[in-house]
Amino acid sequence: MPAALPHPELVAAIPRLRRYARVLTGEPSRADDLVQDTLARAWEKRELWRAGSDLRAWLFTIMHNVFVNQRALARRDARNVSLDGDESGGESWQLSVRATQYARVELMEMMQQVGRLPSEQREVLLLAAVEELRYEEIAEVLAIPIGTVMSRLSRARDKLRRMVDEPPSALKVIK
Amino acid sequence: MNALPISDADLHAYVDGRLARERLAAVEEALARDAALAQRVADYRAQNAGLHDMLDPWLNEAIPSRLLAAATQPANVRSRRWWPALAAAASLVVGVALGWFARDVLLERGGTPTTFARQAVFAHVIYAADARRPVEVQASEAQSLVNWLTKRVGQPAHAPDLSSMGFQLVGGRLVAGNEKPAALLMYENADRQRLTLQWRKLPPGNEETAFRYAVENGVGVFYWIDDDCAYAIVGRVDRGQLLAAARVVYGQLAEPKK
């Protein structure tokens, strides 16, 4: 039986969807397009949502799929340009923290360090540490086994630790 | 006792507040023994806090109208077929809400602890929303806070430790009760979610109760009576997390420190 999605919960989820979209795309302008596509897809797929289950985790799943599909299309279009480097993900990931009261120097550095993580590790880290999804939910969102969730999380955190210990000098010259 | 060795997954679950309760003691014991392990956990926690500092401000940005529009059911998926089901669901919700409300009114007249649970929700909503001054006495003065609350509420107390769930004590305050004041302790996690633990002395002769759960406008409350004292733990978190917190509190209050 088709059901309507709960509108207040959908609206309440938007700020977190926008945040994760920025993490995924690395670009605020593309991020809102991704959120919009995700909401449209959620309405199309509303019959797949089990009422009472966590709407947010379901929306993250949709967003991840939309993003992966769009990226695959974009890559096919650009395959003559570059085939390598996509797993490192860091090059295109340039989230800028605008000059606001919360853009402290350490945060800028941390943002850059997170940007240098491979995208698949960054996604798991953000879903666990910031979106605070359960590991099982993360496995569902990303369609990977839970063991992979744990190993990616572990690698992401240990890489960040090492970066803090020895920040590469190249980072310092980025404004 | 021969516990399983601490795995990587245990450490991450510990940092993320997802560790199964039965593993908690083993992990904390290992952390106390192994300074390098403890440093790793501290570093992971600092990463989590840094990520929140970095990314949480985005949550407060105004939502663009095109996204609000996208959250509204599009015209092309609207269908008349749903209206009967929707109407039935809505009337059920209204009925349940009315029933709950009527029950509260009746129970309040009877002076049962439901009054307390609702008051606890109200107190939580008022003070947890207060970014600057949610408490009267800060956690840094924990001992005088506990002494003061014990004296005013008339029930010996200590502040339970919820750090295993990622919640740290912020401080406490007195809140108005029906006849006597109630004590309120506030906890906060790295995501700035807040939990309050509240308790109030009851007249003698109350039966102990199991945990009871109620939710009002998205704020959940677990409440129970133990030793002529009514307790409530309140927060805008999911039921499972709140229940876990209630269990930790209950377990710690059952074995008073010192």
Side-chain angles (χ1 to χ4, degrees), chain A residues 19 22 36 135 154 161, chain B residues 8 16 40 56 61 66:
Chain A
R19 172 164 74 177
R22 285 193 205 176
Q36 193 169 350
Y135 301 142
S154 192
R161 275 187 91 198
Chain B
D8 230 34
D16 293 325
R40 243 175 93 191
D56 283 356
E61 292 176 11
R66 65 172 171 131

Side-chain angles (χ1 to χ4, degrees), chain B residues 39 52 56 62 64-65 78 92 159 224 245 248:
Chain B
Q39 185 58 50
H52 274 292
D56 283 356
S65 52
R78 226 166 249 155
L92 182 66
W224 68 97
V248 171

Side-chain angles (χ1 to χ4, degrees), chain A residues 52-119:
Chain A
S53 68
D54 189 341
L55 183 68
R56 198 160 65 91
W58 185 68
L59 291 170
F60 277 125
T61 309
I62 293 178
M63 177 176 282
H64 180 78
N65 293 339
V66 170
F67 175 70
V68 167
N69 290 340
Q70 289 179 351
R71 192 174 53 180
L73 284 177
R75 235 180 241 166
R76 203 181 54 194
D77 292 345
R79 66 171 170 255
N80 295 332
V81 181
S82 165
L83 276 175
D84 58 352
D86 39 83
E87 283 317 305
S88 74
E91 308 89 325
S92 63
W93 202 80
Q94 296 180 346
L95 276 186
S96 63
V97 184
R98 290 200 194 83
T100 63
Q101 71 276 16
Y102 55 81
R104 302 200 312 266
V105 176
E106 321 89 86
L107 290 187
M108 305 278 281
E109 273 181 14
M110 184 164 194
M111 192 78 108
Q112 285 163 359
Q113 286 159 356
V114 170
R116 289 168 55 229
L117 291 175
S119 56

Side-chain angles (χ1 to χ4, degrees), chain B residues 177-192:
Chain B
N178 278 3
E179 303 100 25
K180 288 181 173 179
L184 180 153
L185 292 180
M186 189 171 301
Y187 296 80
E188 189 177 66
N189 68 6
D191 204 12
R192 309 240 158 78

